[in-house]
Amino acid sequence: MRRFSVSFLAAASILLSEHARASGLAERRVVVFYTAEAHGKLEPCGCTSDPLGDFARVTALVRKAAGRTKSAILVDAGNLVYAEAESAPKMLPVAELRSRFIAEEITKLPFGGSALGDTDCLHGKDGVMPKRLAVNIPPSAFTEPSRLVDVGGVRMGVLGIADPAAAAKLGLTANDPSESSKREVARLRAAGAEIVILLAPVERAMARNLARTSGADFVVVGKNVGQGMAAAEAAGSGTIVSPADEMQRVGRLEIVLRGGRKAPMPEPLLDGGSAEWQKLQLDDLGRRLRRLDADLARWRAEAASDSGFVAGKERERENLAAERARLMASPWQAPTSGSYFTNSLIPIRRSLPRDPALAASMHRLDRAIGAANLRMAEPPPPAEPGRAFYVGQEKCVSCHKPAARQWKNTIHAQAWKTLVDVGKEAHEDCVSCHVAGYGEVGGSSLGYTRGLQDVQCETCHGPGSIHVEKRGKETPLAIITKTPESVCVRCHNEKHSDTFEYKAYLRDVLGPGHGELARDDLGAGPTGHSLRHAAEVKARRESAQRSR
C-alpha cells in the first residue's frame, strides 16, 4: 500500500485548521507518534534499495512536530531495547550498551512512556530501561502504572500493561490487564485526562478486548506487529492502532479536540479518516478492479463458465467502479462537528532528515559496540585433518588471474569496504555477509577475518584448501563449480537484498575469465546492477512524490 510523507500530512493539517477557522470552531490539535517492537534496532541494514527505520530520523520527526508549542509526543508499546537473539549471556555487554543508549536518548524527547514487553525482560529487572508503564504489576524501581502529561495544552493520560510473559520472566505475577487498565483509566479521567492512551505489548486479539473494556481512547498494539495496521480499528468505544516493527513505519495520530472532553464518559472521538486513507482506499479499489477485469476476461472466454456467476461478478465490478468514482469525486474533508482523529503510518525512509546530534552519537555507539564485540571474539573452529578449510583469495589468484580480474569489477570486491565506511566491520549482524566462510569450520568469525574479507571465491565455491593443495587435479573436484541459488540466498534475501534474482545477479558475476560460456548461455537480460538501480530510482521518485 502507498504511504505519504510528513510534509503531505503537515499540508493537510494546515488545510484542516483553515477549515476549522472558517467554521468558527475552537480547536486544539496534538500529534501522538507511536512505536513498538523496536528490539534495539537503531537503524536498518543499508543493503536494500529502500531501507526503512532509523532512530535518528524518528527523533528528528518527533522534535519537528513538537516544535515550540510542545504539541507532539512519542509513546512506545514495548519490546523496545532488546532483540530475542541477545538473550545469551555473552551478548549482555553489547545489549547493555545499546539499551542504555536508547533509554537515555528516547527520554530526551517529548516521551510519554513505554510498556513492558517480553523481550524487555531478557536481562532481568536491572536490565529494564527506561522506566516502564505497567499497571497490572506492582509499582517498583523500574515500573509505574501511568503518567498524566500536558501535550500542547491537552491533558493526556498514558498507561501501559506488562505482557504476562514479561512479568513471569521477572518472577512477578501479572494481574488481569482488563480490570487493572479499567481502574487506571477511570483514575486518569478523574484527574483530568482528556485523552487516554493504553500501551499494550500483547497480541491484537487481547488489545481489541482492552479497547472494548478499559475505557481508553486508543490502544497501541505492541506484540507481533509486523508491518503494522494501515487503518485504525474501532473496538467498542476505543480504537486500536499498530506501527511496524523496528521503527520501519511509525504511527502518527493527529487528535483534534473541539471543546473539552469531560470525565468520566467523554464523547467518543470520530475516526476522521484522512486524505491519505482515502488514497489508500482508491489504490485498493483500483487493484481489485484490475484483478476482477482479468478474471472476467478469462471467464467470458471459457465456454464452460456459469453465466449467472459471471453476471454476478459483473455487478460486483459495477459496484466497485461506482464506489471508486464516488471517492474520486469527493475529496476528503474533516468532520464538520465533534472531536476527531486521523491515523497514518509514516515510512522512515532515507528521504527524511536525521537528527544530526543523535546521528553522531549513534556513530560513536557503533564504534563502542564494535570494540565490545572484539573483546569477546572467538576464533572459528579449526578444520579436522582431511577436511577442507578456507585459504583466502590470494591462493586462488595464483592460478585464476583472469577470474580475479573479473571479480575485482564486481560489488563483491568492495563488500568489506562498505562496512568500514560506516563503522560496522565488527558488528555481528553485518560481517557475516561481507566475508568468506563466516561461521564455518576452518573459516572466519568476528574479529578473525584477515585474508577472508570481501565476498571472495570461496564464498560461492566453498573452502578451497584441498583444491589448492592438489592444484585442481583432485577427483572429484573439492569445490563447487556451479554455485546454486541456495548459496546466494543466505545473504541475498528479502531482508538484505530485495531486488535479488538469481540469473540477473549471475550476469554481474560471470564474464571473461570467470564462467564466460555460462554468461553467454544466460543471454541478454536484466543484471543485478540494473535491477538495483531501477529500485533505487523508484524509491527516490516515490519519496519525492510523497514530499509534494
Short mmCIF file of all heavy atoms in Angstrom, two decimals, residues 36-39 76-87 114-125 127-129 132-134 136-137 142 161-172 174 199-203 221-224:
data_model
loop_
_atom_site.label_atom_id
_atom_site.label_comp_id
_atom_site.label_asym_id
_atom_site.label_seq_id
_atom_site.Cartn_x
_atom_site.Cartn_y
_atom_site.Cartn_z
N ALA A 36 6.57 0.36 18.43
CA ALA A 36 6.51 -0.91 19.16
C ALA A 36 7.50 -1.88 18.54
O ALA A 36 7.82 -1.78 17.35
CB ALA A 36 5.10 -1.51 19.11
N GLU A 37 7.99 -2.79 19.34
CA GLU A 37 8.91 -3.82 18.88
C GLU A 37 10.10 -3.25 18.09
O GLU A 37 10.47 -3.75 17.04
CB GLU A 37 8.18 -4.88 18.05
CG GLU A 37 7.23 -5.73 18.89
CD GLU A 37 6.77 -6.99 18.20
OE1 GLU A 37 6.22 -6.90 17.07
OE2 GLU A 37 6.95 -8.07 18.77
N ALA A 38 10.69 -2.19 18.64
CA ALA A 38 11.92 -1.68 18.03
C ALA A 38 13.05 -2.68 18.19
O ALA A 38 13.97 -2.75 17.36
CB ALA A 38 12.30 -0.33 18.66
N HIS A 39 13.02 -3.45 19.28
CA HIS A 39 14.01 -4.51 19.53
C HIS A 39 15.45 -4.01 19.44
O HIS A 39 16.34 -4.73 18.98
CB HIS A 39 13.81 -5.68 18.56
CG HIS A 39 12.56 -6.47 18.82
ND1 HIS A 39 12.20 -6.93 20.08
CD2 HIS A 39 11.57 -6.90 17.98
CE1 HIS A 39 11.06 -7.60 20.00
NE2 HIS A 39 10.65 -7.59 18.74
N ASP A 76 5.59 4.33 23.27
CA ASP A 76 6.09 3.05 22.77
C ASP A 76 5.34 1.91 23.46
O ASP A 76 5.18 1.92 24.69
CB ASP A 76 7.59 2.94 23.04
CG ASP A 76 8.13 1.59 22.61
OD1 ASP A 76 8.34 1.41 21.40
OD2 ASP A 76 8.34 0.73 23.48
N ALA A 77 4.91 0.93 22.68
CA ALA A 77 4.10 -0.16 23.22
C ALA A 77 4.92 -1.38 23.63
O ALA A 77 4.38 -2.47 23.77
CB ALA A 77 3.02 -0.56 22.23
N GLY A 78 6.22 -1.19 23.87
CA GLY A 78 7.01 -2.26 24.45
C GLY A 78 7.90 -3.02 23.49
O GLY A 78 7.87 -2.81 22.28
N ASN A 79 8.74 -3.91 24.07
CA ASN A 79 9.77 -4.64 23.32
C ASN A 79 10.70 -3.65 22.62
O ASN A 79 10.96 -3.74 21.43
CB ASN A 79 9.11 -5.61 22.33
CG ASN A 79 8.27 -6.65 23.03
OD1 ASN A 79 8.76 -7.41 23.86
ND2 ASN A 79 6.97 -6.67 22.73
N LEU A 80 11.19 -2.72 23.41
CA LEU A 80 11.90 -1.56 22.88
C LEU A 80 13.40 -1.78 22.68
O LEU A 80 13.93 -1.42 21.64
CB LEU A 80 11.68 -0.37 23.83
CG LEU A 80 12.47 0.92 23.56
CD1 LEU A 80 12.10 1.51 22.21
CD2 LEU A 80 12.21 1.94 24.68
N VAL A 81 14.08 -2.36 23.68
CA VAL A 81 15.54 -2.23 23.68
C VAL A 81 16.32 -3.49 23.33
O VAL A 81 17.50 -3.41 23.00
CB VAL A 81 16.04 -1.69 25.04
CG1 VAL A 81 15.58 -0.27 25.25
CG2 VAL A 81 15.59 -2.58 26.19
N TYR A 82 15.73 -4.67 23.44
CA TYR A 82 16.48 -5.90 23.20
C TYR A 82 15.86 -6.71 22.07
O TYR A 82 14.63 -6.74 21.89
CB TYR A 82 16.50 -6.79 24.45
CG TYR A 82 17.11 -6.17 25.67
CD1 TYR A 82 16.37 -6.04 26.85
CD2 TYR A 82 18.42 -5.72 25.67
CE1 TYR A 82 16.92 -5.47 27.99
CE2 TYR A 82 18.99 -5.15 26.80
CZ TYR A 82 18.23 -5.03 27.96
OH TYR A 82 18.78 -4.47 29.08
N ALA A 83 16.73 -7.43 21.35
CA ALA A 83 16.29 -8.42 20.38
C ALA A 83 16.32 -9.79 21.04
O ALA A 83 17.11 -10.02 21.96
CB ALA A 83 17.18 -8.40 19.15
N GLU A 84 15.48 -10.69 20.59
CA GLU A 84 15.42 -12.03 21.17
C GLU A 84 16.78 -12.73 21.11
O GLU A 84 17.17 -13.46 22.01
CB GLU A 84 14.39 -12.88 20.42
CG GLU A 84 14.06 -14.19 21.09
CD GLU A 84 13.32 -14.02 22.42
OE1 GLU A 84 12.32 -13.30 22.45
OE2 GLU A 84 13.79 -14.61 23.41
N ALA A 85 17.54 -12.44 20.05
CA ALA A 85 18.85 -13.08 19.87
C ALA A 85 19.87 -12.62 20.91
O ALA A 85 20.94 -13.22 21.03
CB ALA A 85 19.38 -12.78 18.47
N GLU A 86 19.56 -11.56 21.66
CA GLU A 86 20.51 -11.04 22.65
C GLU A 86 20.31 -11.66 24.02
O GLU A 86 20.79 -11.13 25.02
CB GLU A 86 20.39 -9.52 22.74
CG GLU A 86 20.84 -8.80 21.48
CD GLU A 86 20.64 -7.29 21.56
OE1 GLU A 86 19.67 -6.85 22.19
OE2 GLU A 86 21.45 -6.57 20.97
N SER A 87 19.64 -12.79 24.09
CA SER A 87 19.38 -13.41 25.38
C SER A 87 20.60 -14.14 25.94
O SER A 87 20.70 -14.34 27.15
CB SER A 87 18.20 -14.39 25.27
OG SER A 87 18.49 -15.40 24.31
N SER A 114 6.84 3.92 27.88
CA SER A 114 6.88 2.65 27.15
C SER A 114 6.33 1.55 28.03
O SER A 114 6.56 1.53 29.24
CB SER A 114 8.33 2.32 26.74
OG SER A 114 8.41 1.06 26.11
N ALA A 115 5.60 0.61 27.42
CA ALA A 115 5.08 -0.55 28.15
C ALA A 115 6.19 -1.59 28.31
O ALA A 115 7.27 -1.47 27.74
CB ALA A 115 3.88 -1.13 27.42
N LEU A 116 5.90 -2.61 29.11
CA LEU A 116 6.87 -3.64 29.43
C LEU A 116 6.58 -4.90 28.62
O LEU A 116 5.65 -5.65 28.92
CB LEU A 116 6.84 -3.96 30.93
CG LEU A 116 7.90 -4.93 31.46
CD1 LEU A 116 9.30 -4.35 31.28
CD2 LEU A 116 7.63 -5.25 32.93
N GLY A 117 7.38 -5.12 27.57
CA GLY A 117 7.18 -6.28 26.72
C GLY A 117 8.04 -7.45 27.13
O GLY A 117 8.91 -7.35 28.01
N ASP A 118 7.83 -8.57 26.48
CA ASP A 118 8.53 -9.81 26.81
C ASP A 118 10.04 -9.66 26.67
O ASP A 118 10.81 -9.99 27.58
CB ASP A 118 8.00 -10.91 25.89
CG ASP A 118 8.58 -12.28 26.22
OD1 ASP A 118 9.03 -12.46 27.36
OD2 ASP A 118 8.56 -13.16 25.34
N THR A 119 10.51 -9.14 25.53
CA THR A 119 11.96 -9.05 25.32
C THR A 119 12.61 -7.96 26.17
O THR A 119 13.83 -7.98 26.34
CB THR A 119 12.29 -8.81 23.84
OG1 THR A 119 11.71 -7.57 23.41
CG2 THR A 119 11.78 -9.93 22.97
N ASP A 120 11.84 -7.04 26.70
CA ASP A 120 12.41 -6.02 27.58
C ASP A 120 12.97 -6.62 28.86
O ASP A 120 13.74 -5.96 29.58
CB ASP A 120 11.35 -4.97 27.95
CG ASP A 120 10.91 -4.15 26.75
OD1 ASP A 120 11.78 -3.75 25.96
OD2 ASP A 120 9.70 -3.90 26.60
N CYS A 121 12.60 -7.86 29.15
CA CYS A 121 13.00 -8.50 30.41
C CYS A 121 14.06 -9.58 30.22
O CYS A 121 14.29 -10.39 31.12
CB CYS A 121 11.76 -9.10 31.09
SG CYS A 121 10.45 -7.91 31.36
N LEU A 122 14.72 -9.60 29.07
CA LEU A 122 15.69 -10.65 28.78
C LEU A 122 16.83 -10.68 29.78
O LEU A 122 17.42 -11.73 30.02
CB LEU A 122 16.25 -10.47 27.36
CG LEU A 122 15.33 -10.86 26.20
CD1 LEU A 122 15.98 -10.53 24.87
CD2 LEU A 122 14.98 -12.34 26.27
N HIS A 123 17.17 -9.53 30.36
CA HIS A 123 18.31 -9.47 31.27
C HIS A 123 17.91 -9.07 32.68
O HIS A 123 18.66 -8.40 33.39
CB HIS A 123 19.36 -8.53 30.69
CG HIS A 123 19.90 -8.99 29.37
ND1 HIS A 123 20.71 -10.11 29.24
CD2 HIS A 123 19.71 -8.54 28.11
CE1 HIS A 123 21.00 -10.30 27.97
NE2 HIS A 123 20.41 -9.36 27.26
N GLY A 124 16.69 -9.47 33.08
CA GLY A 124 16.26 -9.29 34.45
C GLY A 124 15.82 -7.88 34.78
O GLY A 124 15.78 -6.99 33.93
N LYS A 125 15.49 -7.67 36.05
CA LYS A 125 14.98 -6.38 36.50
C LYS A 125 15.98 -5.26 36.26
O LYS A 125 15.60 -4.14 35.89
CB LYS A 125 14.61 -6.46 37.98
CG LYS A 125 13.46 -7.43 38.28
CD LYS A 125 13.19 -7.52 39.77
CE LYS A 125 12.08 -8.54 40.06
NZ LYS A 125 11.83 -8.68 41.51
N GLY A 127 17.99 -4.94 33.97
CA GLY A 127 18.13 -4.62 32.55
C GLY A 127 16.93 -3.90 31.97
O GLY A 127 16.92 -3.57 30.79
N VAL A 128 15.89 -3.65 32.78
CA VAL A 128 14.71 -2.95 32.29
C VAL A 128 15.00 -1.45 32.28
O VAL A 128 15.21 -0.84 33.33
CB VAL A 128 13.47 -3.25 33.16
CG1 VAL A 128 12.28 -2.42 32.68
CG2 VAL A 128 13.14 -4.73 33.11
N MET A 129 15.01 -0.86 31.10
CA MET A 129 15.26 0.57 30.95
C MET A 129 14.66 1.02 29.62
O MET A 129 14.61 0.24 28.68
CB MET A 129 16.77 0.86 31.01
CG MET A 129 17.61 0.11 29.98
SD MET A 129 19.38 0.37 30.22
CE MET A 129 19.71 -0.86 31.51
N ARG A 132 9.31 1.71 32.97
CA ARG A 132 8.18 1.29 32.15
C ARG A 132 6.83 1.55 32.81
O ARG A 132 6.73 1.66 34.04
CB ARG A 132 8.30 -0.20 31.82
CG ARG A 132 9.55 -0.55 31.04
CD ARG A 132 9.76 0.37 29.84
NE ARG A 132 11.00 0.10 29.16
CZ ARG A 132 11.10 -0.71 28.12
NH1 ARG A 132 10.05 -1.35 27.66
NH2 ARG A 132 12.27 -0.87 27.53
N LEU A 133 5.81 1.61 31.95
CA LEU A 133 4.43 1.75 32.40
C LEU A 133 3.81 0.36 32.43
O LEU A 133 3.75 -0.32 31.40
CB LEU A 133 3.64 2.66 31.46
CG LEU A 133 4.21 4.07 31.25
CD1 LEU A 133 3.36 4.86 30.26
CD2 LEU A 133 4.30 4.81 32.58
N ALA A 134 3.37 -0.06 33.62
CA ALA A 134 2.82 -1.41 33.76
C ALA A 134 1.82 -1.41 34.90
O ALA A 134 2.18 -1.56 36.07
CB ALA A 134 3.94 -2.42 34.02
N ASN A 136 -0.55 -3.49 35.59
CA ASN A 136 -1.00 -4.79 36.11
C ASN A 136 0.04 -5.53 36.92
O ASN A 136 -0.12 -6.71 37.21
CB ASN A 136 -1.51 -5.66 34.97
CG ASN A 136 -0.46 -5.91 33.90
OD1 ASN A 136 0.36 -5.04 33.62
ND2 ASN A 136 -0.50 -7.09 33.30
N ILE A 137 1.15 -4.88 37.27
CA ILE A 137 2.10 -5.43 38.24
C ILE A 137 2.40 -4.34 39.27
O ILE A 137 2.20 -3.16 38.99
CB ILE A 137 3.40 -5.93 37.58
CG1 ILE A 137 4.14 -4.79 36.88
CG2 ILE A 137 3.12 -7.07 36.61
CD1 ILE A 137 5.49 -5.20 36.31
N PHE A 142 11.53 0.05 38.59
CA PHE A 142 11.59 0.08 37.13
C PHE A 142 10.21 0.19 36.47
O PHE A 142 10.12 0.14 35.24
CB PHE A 142 12.34 -1.16 36.60
CG PHE A 142 11.72 -2.47 36.99
CD1 PHE A 142 10.75 -3.06 36.20
CD2 PHE A 142 12.10 -3.11 38.16
CE1 PHE A 142 10.17 -4.26 36.56
CE2 PHE A 142 11.53 -4.32 38.53
CZ PHE A 142 10.57 -4.90 37.73
N ILE A 161 0.51 -1.80 30.11
CA ILE A 161 0.40 -3.08 30.83
C ILE A 161 1.70 -3.84 30.60
O ILE A 161 2.45 -3.56 29.66
CB ILE A 161 -0.81 -3.92 30.37
CG1 ILE A 161 -0.67 -4.30 28.89
CG2 ILE A 161 -2.11 -3.19 30.64
CD1 ILE A 161 -1.66 -5.35 28.45
N ALA A 162 1.96 -4.79 31.45
CA ALA A 162 3.08 -5.71 31.27
C ALA A 162 2.57 -6.96 30.58
O ALA A 162 1.53 -7.52 30.96
CB ALA A 162 3.71 -6.06 32.61
N ASP A 163 3.27 -7.39 29.55
CA ASP A 163 3.00 -8.69 28.94
C ASP A 163 3.13 -9.73 30.05
O ASP A 163 4.13 -9.77 30.76
CB ASP A 163 4.02 -8.94 27.84
CG ASP A 163 3.82 -10.25 27.11
OD1 ASP A 163 3.08 -11.12 27.62
OD2 ASP A 163 4.42 -10.44 26.05
N PRO A 164 2.10 -10.58 30.26
CA PRO A 164 2.21 -11.60 31.31
C PRO A 164 3.49 -12.43 31.21
O PRO A 164 4.05 -12.83 32.23
CB PRO A 164 0.96 -12.46 31.09
CG PRO A 164 -0.04 -11.51 30.49
CD PRO A 164 0.77 -10.60 29.62
N ALA A 165 3.97 -12.69 29.98
CA ALA A 165 5.23 -13.43 29.82
C ALA A 165 6.41 -12.64 30.37
O ALA A 165 7.35 -13.20 30.93
CB ALA A 165 5.46 -13.76 28.35
N ALA A 166 6.34 -11.31 30.24
CA ALA A 166 7.41 -10.47 30.77
C ALA A 166 7.41 -10.51 32.30
O ALA A 166 8.47 -10.61 32.93
CB ALA A 166 7.21 -9.03 30.29
N ALA A 167 6.24 -10.42 32.89
CA ALA A 167 6.14 -10.48 34.35
C ALA A 167 6.71 -11.79 34.87
O ALA A 167 7.43 -11.82 35.88
CB ALA A 167 4.69 -10.30 34.78
N ALA A 168 6.41 -12.88 34.18
CA ALA A 168 6.90 -14.19 34.62
C ALA A 168 8.42 -14.24 34.59
O ALA A 168 9.05 -14.82 35.48
CB ALA A 168 6.30 -15.29 33.74
N LYS A 169 9.03 -13.64 33.58
CA LYS A 169 10.49 -13.63 33.49
C LYS A 169 11.13 -12.90 34.67
O LYS A 169 12.26 -13.17 35.05
CB LYS A 169 10.93 -12.97 32.19
CG LYS A 169 10.79 -13.86 30.98
CD LYS A 169 11.32 -13.18 29.73
CE LYS A 169 11.23 -14.13 28.53
NZ LYS A 169 11.71 -13.51 27.28
N LEU A 170 10.38 -11.94 35.22
CA LEU A 170 10.90 -11.17 36.35
C LEU A 170 10.48 -11.75 37.69
O LEU A 170 10.71 -11.14 38.74
CB LEU A 170 10.41 -9.71 36.24
CG LEU A 170 10.85 -8.96 34.98
CD1 LEU A 170 10.25 -7.56 34.97
CD2 LEU A 170 12.36 -8.91 34.88
N GLY A 171 9.83 -12.91 37.66
CA GLY A 171 9.38 -13.53 38.91
C GLY A 171 8.17 -12.87 39.51
O GLY A 171 7.92 -12.99 40.71
N LEU A 172 7.40 -12.17 38.69
CA LEU A 172 6.22 -11.44 39.16
C LEU A 172 4.96 -12.08 38.60
O LEU A 172 4.98 -12.74 37.55
CB LEU A 172 6.29 -9.98 38.73
CG LEU A 172 7.51 -9.18 39.20
CD1 LEU A 172 7.54 -7.81 38.53
CD2 LEU A 172 7.51 -9.04 40.71
N ALA A 174 1.36 -11.18 37.05
CA ALA A 174 0.60 -10.08 36.46
C ALA A 174 -0.87 -10.22 36.80
O ALA A 174 -1.45 -11.30 36.71
CB ALA A 174 0.79 -10.07 34.95
N LEU A 199 -0.88 1.47 26.25
CA LEU A 199 0.20 0.81 25.54
C LEU A 199 0.16 -0.68 25.91
O LEU A 199 0.30 -1.03 27.08
CB LEU A 199 1.54 1.43 25.92
CG LEU A 199 1.60 2.96 25.76
CD1 LEU A 199 2.91 3.51 26.30
CD2 LEU A 199 1.41 3.34 24.30
N ALA A 200 -0.03 -1.53 24.91
CA ALA A 200 -0.33 -2.94 25.18
C ALA A 200 0.60 -3.86 24.41
O ALA A 200 0.35 -4.16 23.23
CB ALA A 200 -1.78 -3.23 24.81
N PRO A 201 1.68 -4.36 25.05
CA PRO A 201 2.59 -5.29 24.37
C PRO A 201 2.04 -6.70 24.31
O PRO A 201 2.65 -7.66 24.81
CB PRO A 201 3.85 -5.19 25.24
CG PRO A 201 3.34 -4.87 26.60
CD PRO A 201 2.12 -4.02 26.40
N VAL A 202 0.86 -6.84 23.73
CA VAL A 202 0.16 -8.12 23.63
C VAL A 202 -0.34 -8.29 22.19
O VAL A 202 -0.27 -7.38 21.38
CB VAL A 202 -1.03 -8.18 24.61
CG1 VAL A 202 -0.54 -8.16 26.05
CG2 VAL A 202 -2.01 -7.03 24.38
N GLU A 203 -0.84 -9.50 21.90
CA GLU A 203 -1.38 -9.78 20.57
C GLU A 203 -2.61 -8.91 20.30
O GLU A 203 -3.26 -8.41 21.21
CB GLU A 203 -1.77 -11.25 20.45
CG GLU A 203 -0.65 -12.23 20.72
CD GLU A 203 0.22 -12.48 19.51
OE1 GLU A 203 -0.05 -11.87 18.46
OE2 GLU A 203 1.15 -13.30 19.62
N VAL A 221 -1.02 -1.56 19.88
CA VAL A 221 -0.58 -2.95 19.91
C VAL A 221 0.94 -3.00 19.91
O VAL A 221 1.60 -2.24 19.19
CB VAL A 221 -1.11 -3.72 18.68
CG1 VAL A 221 -0.69 -5.19 18.74
CG2 VAL A 221 -2.63 -3.60 18.60
N GLY A 222 1.51 -3.92 20.71
CA GLY A 222 2.96 -3.96 20.83
C GLY A 222 3.58 -5.33 20.71
O GLY A 222 4.73 -5.51 21.10
N LYS A 223 2.86 -6.32 20.15
CA LYS A 223 3.44 -7.66 20.03
C LYS A 223 3.06 -8.25 18.68
O LYS A 223 1.90 -8.19 18.27
CB LYS A 223 2.93 -8.56 21.16
CG LYS A 223 3.65 -9.90 21.26
CD LYS A 223 3.25 -10.64 22.54
CE LYS A 223 4.05 -11.91 22.74
NZ LYS A 223 3.71 -12.58 24.01
N ASN A 224 4.05 -8.81 17.99
CA ASN A 224 3.85 -9.38 16.66
C ASN A 224 3.18 -8.39 15.72
O ASN A 224 2.20 -8.71 15.04
CB ASN A 224 3.03 -10.67 16.75
CG ASN A 224 3.79 -11.79 17.44
OD1 ASN A 224 5.02 -11.82 17.42
ND2 ASN A 224 3.06 -12.69 18.08
#
